Amino acid sequence: PAIAQEDPRIEQVRAHLDLLDDLAVRPPCGQLPEPERWQSAVPPDVGSADPVISAHRGALTLAPENTLWSYVYAFAYGVDLVEVDVQQTKDGRFVAMHDSTVDRTTNGTGAVNSFTYAELRALNAADYEPWKGTEFDPARVASVEEVLRLAARVGGGFELDIKGSVTDEQPLAALVERYGLIEESIFNSADPRILVVAPDANLIYNRDDWEPPFLMYEIARVFAVFGSRLDEYSPESIAAVHDGCGIVMPHAYDAGPENEVAQFHQARAIGADGVQTNQPAANIAAAGMPAA
């Protein structure tokens, strides 16, 4: 629609796409675009035959988040990817920590980047309910290297949600490349420095609700994966992403834990290729791929 073409945000996105496109190396896309389906995708696309499941913060309902056990349990249930929130310590090491402070999930207090790596690893990462006093207590905050070694060992992938304490994403990309996991991993970032180190890195685009389908198609030439809330997607926007050879993995967890499986089925019904979930066991079963 003409009104959408005039949205100033479109040119802002296109300017950044041009910057990234100069650096990114994506596989050739052999998909023939069908712009008419970007206006009316009836019936919706059929997503990936094997749903792509990413465990948000690992299996945080089965083990303490930010610990290696959370990622072990997620991979044990057969997920393709574990999502890891990456923070940087005062001395430049990368660790798994969702919050900007250690207060909620450890026995420490203060910003993550106010601790050295050794100081952070000395904290008890199971010092919160419901994990206090369980078999997981005490536990350590996982280093990114530990999670990379785990993913490499089990043949899994790595979804990096890069937080504000990370001052330079180039060393992080180099670390993922060192473990041979660039192809299997997704960077939740639009920082071009990642592509300087790893031109073939997969970037995830967090959709809002304003981007018209034609722009989603353009974005897919650089961003391999699309995330964000399920209610921000339509069959038409997903068809546009697919025409650009991208995959769509919205959140299944935004409507609450009791609705995750329903959100998975709703996502698949409009053409999504998978989901990001807080309950990997339930969604792996919903996908028809229950773990042994």
Side-chain angles (χ1 to χ4, degrees), residues 80-101:
D80 303 280
L81 302 150
V82 293
E83 186 261 6
V84 181
D85 299 288
V86 180
Q87 303 271 8
Q88 195 164 17
T89 62
K90 183 165 65 175
D91 50 351
R93 294 289 296 275
F94 298 109
V95 294
M97 179 67 69
H98 177 269
D99 299 359
S100 60
T101 72

Side-chain angles (χ1 to χ4, degrees), residues 49-53 76-80 264 273 280-292:
D50 294 322
V52 185
I53 307 292
Y77 274 93
V79 300
D80 303 280
F264 168 81
D273 302 282
N283 274 289
I284 285 288
M289 304 182 295

Side-chain angles (χ1 to χ4, degrees), residues 18 23 29 47 80 86 110 122 128 147 183 185 188 238 253 283-284:
D18 287 342
L23 299 168
C29 179
D80 303 280
V86 180
Y128 70 104
V147 188
E183 285 188 19
S185 297
N188 194 342
I238 292 175
Y253 50 77
N283 274 289
I284 285 288

Side-chain angles (χ1 to χ4, degrees), residues 65-176:
E65 63 181 279
N66 309 315
T67 71
L68 191 62
W69 279 113
S70 180
Y71 309 117
V72 167
Y73 270 67
F75 278 132
Y77 274 93
V79 300
D80 303 280
L81 302 150
V82 293
E83 186 261 6
V84 181
D85 299 288
V86 180
Q87 303 271 8
Q88 195 164 17
T89 62
K90 183 165 65 175
D91 50 351
R93 294 289 296 275
F94 298 109
V95 294
M97 179 67 69
H98 177 269
D99 299 359
S100 60
T101 72
V102 301
D103 299 40
R104 179 175 65 87
T105 58
T106 79
N107 58 337
T109 303
V112 176
N113 60 3
S114 70
F115 290 83
T116 65
Y117 176 74
E119 290 168 342
L120 191 74
R121 294 273 281 179
L123 299 177
N124 181 2
D127 192 56
Y128 70 104
E129 296 299 336
W131 307 113
K132 189 181 294 189
T134 68
E135 70 273 23
F136 297 107
D137 185 6
R140 290 197 298 185
V141 172
S143 69
V144 165
E145 289 94 332
E146 284 179 320
V147 188
L148 285 166
R149 282 196 295 271
L150 171 66
R153 179 166 60 84
V154 302
F158 197 42
E159 182 184 343
L160 299 96
D161 191 349
I162 302 167
K163 299 298 187 181
S165 66
V166 177
T167 57
D168 187 354
E169 300 183 20
Q170 277 186 299
L172 181 60
L175 190 60
V176 176

